[in-house]
Amino acid sequence: MSTRSSDPVSSVTTAVTAAVTAWVGRAGGRLRDGAWRIGLAAVTATVAWALAQHLLGQPAPIFAPIAAVVCLTDAPGTRGRRALRLLAGVCVGVAVGELATRVTGSGWLQVGAAVAAGMFVVALGSINSLTLLQAGIASLLVVGLASPQSGWTRLFSAVIGGVLALLVSQVLASPSPTRLLVVAARDALRVPADALAEVAAALREGSATRAGAAVEALRGGQGALATFLDTRSTAGSLVTTTLRGRRERARVAELGARLGGIEYVHASSVLLARTVTEALTSGDDTPEHLVRGVEELAAGVRAVAADPGAPDPRADDPAGPRPTHEIADELAATRPGGLADHDAQLAAQLHLLALDVAALVTPAEAAPSPS
């Protein structure tokens, strides 16, 4: 009786522990992802404050660090546009707030009127939420603080913070779009590489459970795929808005075109894993050449995942996987003719997946020769 009564408690404890562990893991991941942005914004805000104090003689130049922080906490590919929108909103807000202070003075009613006026002026040319927000906040601060500083001094303070943020984000600390793309592709490809290895192992063992787990792993890997697609968009923005991006434009275009089929590799891997699961559940034996095909294809995808930036990844040792384009070309020749139903379906899907993998690499004979 005591054992049965303690089971629910143990189950709840295990569930709570798992939930807490998962939350800590997610929180740690968010902190790691945001650490660079937070540190960059904090350092730039400090420099903006000190610079505005020195150049403008302001005891508390709040507009400069505010502009820097708001600009630098966004994703790398949008910081430039964000800085320009912020500067537009702050400039309008400061101008409207200064005018309102000179004409009507300060007070609770004037604060509300200035905020509305600043946002209405911005809305004449743009309804971007950031520009509207900054216009309203700047108007509020100017009227609410009602300090003896001139409007021009406030305006210059905001410009210092925004221009400094532009300099940091677009020139001094702009990320490499090539590196962002390669890292995202590596993470996205590891999912199908590991899952295909599990599918091959399931075929060797005759384990439908293991193959089914590979299907679930592929479904759970959609987050890495979505990150890659977002990163590809970010890299495209960086090559048009940053100096470093312009220098890497050709490389980013080549990688984007070559690695764009990663989502097809994911989809084809899911179909292949499901077909294997169904075949193993029904107790069918899979021909040896198809099992070897899955194994070699898994090795090929893993080779690409290890170095997505290489046009035709190879293993470091002679005993490793063959050049990826050779694996893909050979598997692409696998045809379903003369096979049982499940085997024919598996062969057809293996053929399609091999073609998708082949699109991720550049065959050696097509590589340009050194001049």
Side-chain angles (χ1 to χ4, degrees), residues 116-219:
M119 298 180 78
F120 272 123
V121 170
V122 167
L124 293 174
S126 170
I127 56 171
N128 178 266
S129 58
L130 175 62
T131 311
L132 288 170
L133 177 66
Q134 290 305 313
I137 290 175
S139 301
L140 184 154
L141 289 174
V142 170
V143 177
L145 292 176
S147 66
Q149 301 173 14
S150 69
W152 285 111
T153 303
R154 296 187 181 103
L155 191 59
F156 286 145
S157 177
V159 169
I160 286 173
V163 170
L164 185 60
L166 278 172
L167 178 65
V168 170
S169 65
Q170 307 306 108
V171 180
L172 300 179
S174 58
S176 166
T178 299
R179 183 178 181 279
L180 291 177
L181 200 57
V182 167
V183 170
R186 181 183 301 131
D187 293 340
L189 282 168
R190 280 175 180 162
V191 176
D194 293 341
L196 288 170
E198 283 297 297
V199 170
L203 284 169
R204 291 293 183 193
E205 298 175 4
S207 173
T209 301
R210 193 166 183 177
V215 174
E216 295 305 315
L218 284 163
R219 288 173 176 166

Side-chain angles (χ1 to χ4, degrees), residues 265-354:
V265 172
H266 267 258
S268 296
S269 297
V270 171
L271 291 175
L272 181 68
R274 289 181 61 183
T275 298
V276 169
T277 302
E278 293 170 0
L280 291 175
T281 300
S282 63
D284 295 342
D285 290 329
T286 303
E288 176 63 22
H289 74 280
L290 294 182
V291 178
R292 285 199 311 271
V294 176
E295 290 174 337
E296 281 220 288
L297 193 54
V301 177
R302 178 164 287 132
V304 181
D307 189 5
D312 191 16
R314 298 173 183 267
D316 293 333
D317 60 287
R322 292 181 289 136
T324 309
H325 77 277
E326 290 183 8
I327 299 171
D329 288 345
E330 182 176 299
L331 292 177
T334 302
R335 301 291 179 176
L339 298 174
D341 289 344
H342 273 132
D343 294 337
Q345 188 177 4
L346 176 58
Q349 290 172 355
L350 194 59
H351 172 221
L352 292 176
L353 178 57

